[in-house]
Amino acid sequence: MKLFDVYPLYDVTPVRAEGVYVYDDQDTRYLDLYGGHAVISIGHSHPHYVKSVQDQLEKIGFYSNAIQNPIQQELATAIGTQSCLNEYQLFLCSSGAEAIENALKMASFHTGKKRVLAFNGAFHGRTSAAVAVTDNEKITAPLNQQQAVCFLPFNDTAALAQELQKGDVCAVIFEPIQGVGGLDMPTEAFVLEMERLCQQYQACLIADEVQSGFSRSGTFFAFQNTSIKPHIVTMAKGMGNGFPVGGILIHPDLKAEYGLLGTTFGGNHLACRAALAVLDVLEQEKLQEHAQKMAVYFNEKAQNIPQAKVKGRGLMLGLEFDFEVGPLRRRLIEEKKIFTGGSSNKKVLRILPPLTVQPQHFDTFFNALHDLL
Ligand SMILES: Cc1ncc(COP(=O)(O)O)c(C=O)c1O
């Protein structure tokens, strides 16, 4: 049987990985400054993570959400403590798009309304409602176009107020730092206005932290460099360090009811154990503070590359050039053995390393960049 051919692939076959390195089938070592789309948070094959998942697998890997699973509560408590959002409620699922679907659905249940406001350049996933609030016509099928969505520019308070005044909006969804879109961010003033206007017009504010959450940005969630309290926060990617796990945090104003949300795989024993191991390592190795320090180091080094402008925050970074970076990215992989990411802004090279990355890894990257430029 053939694979459905939807991914343009680089000619690299990773077979093992450790820390910030990935090794291919010829045992060639690659520096991973992409973390497989911002997924690897605590480093590849972290020993505590491997042992936790192995031990759990030997006990029980899965049972459905029809039984008691105390590991879910353990995970909720740990997320509450590390994020300082103890008052929120946790619903677990298995991917970023699924987190978005559930977030939008909750907003619609809660408000009784159905129109969503999203932003230019947004990426929220590929499933039904998630792709409808994603700003990319190419990946939106006719089926997805039945959702009521309006895209706005960041930082245009008047446009936002005008749409909300119509009274039919259930949610405003935003990425505190855009990922796929290329590291653009709303201003703090606009984020505060979004919260105020959502309250005024009874709409839910959803912070999509699928990519920026779990300490990548230098705070537990990227929105936490402002004072807002979104109604719903979505998370996935770095949460499982490669294990498929996602979730939403739901403000206490939104009430649960049996049957409102549900999933077969979400919150299974193995997924919870993987996420708990990630939280252990984030805390023990102080990776949030480390991400902040490494961002300072990256910015300093980038001063020596005058062709590039740094975007993003923490270890969710981009370098914006005045040319399209596709060929550069290929040469970084093929000639320098360094993984980096692209974005829908073709001039932005994305840097999303494991949060354990060290100064010498950025030295290697900047030396390589210097050679190639
Ligand atoms: C901000 C954001 N939201 C949602 C998603 C969708 O996540 P997933 O690919 O796990 O469905 C992504 C994926 O890149 C993302 O970057």
Side-chain angles (χ1 to χ4, degrees), residues 236-267:
K237 293 197 186 274
M239 182 177 184
N241 200 48
F243 199 98
V245 50
I248 59 177
L249 300 187
I250 306 164
H251 191 278
D253 284 353
L254 280 68
K255 302 292 175 215
E257 226 177 81
Y258 288 152
L260 208 56
L261 305 178
T263 157
T264 298
F265 294 121

Side-chain angles (χ1 to χ4, degrees), residues 62-65 72 92-94 98 246 263-268 271-272:
F62 172 84
Y63 205 81
S64 80
N65 281 305
Q72 289 189 356
L92 289 160
C93 57
S94 308
E98 205 188 337
T263 157
T264 298
F265 294 121
N268 68 68
C272 290

Side-chain angles (χ1 to χ4, degrees), residues 37 94-98 100 123-127 130 175 177-180 208-212 234 236-237 350:
H37 300 304
S94 308
S95 73
E98 205 188 337
I100 300 292
F123 185 92
H124 297 291
R126 291 168 179 272
T127 54
E175 292 157 88
I177 306 172
Q178 286 191 336
V180 174
D208 180 357
E209 297 270 0
V210 163
Q211 191 162 146
S212 52
T234 60
K237 293 197 186 274
R350 277 198 295 162

Side-chain angles (χ1 to χ4, degrees), residues 119 153-157 160 186-194:
F119 292 95
F154 268 157
N155 306 328
D156 188 341
T157 310
L160 182 67
T187 62
E188 184 180 356
F190 183 69
V191 172
L192 296 176
E193 266 307 279
M194 278 200 291

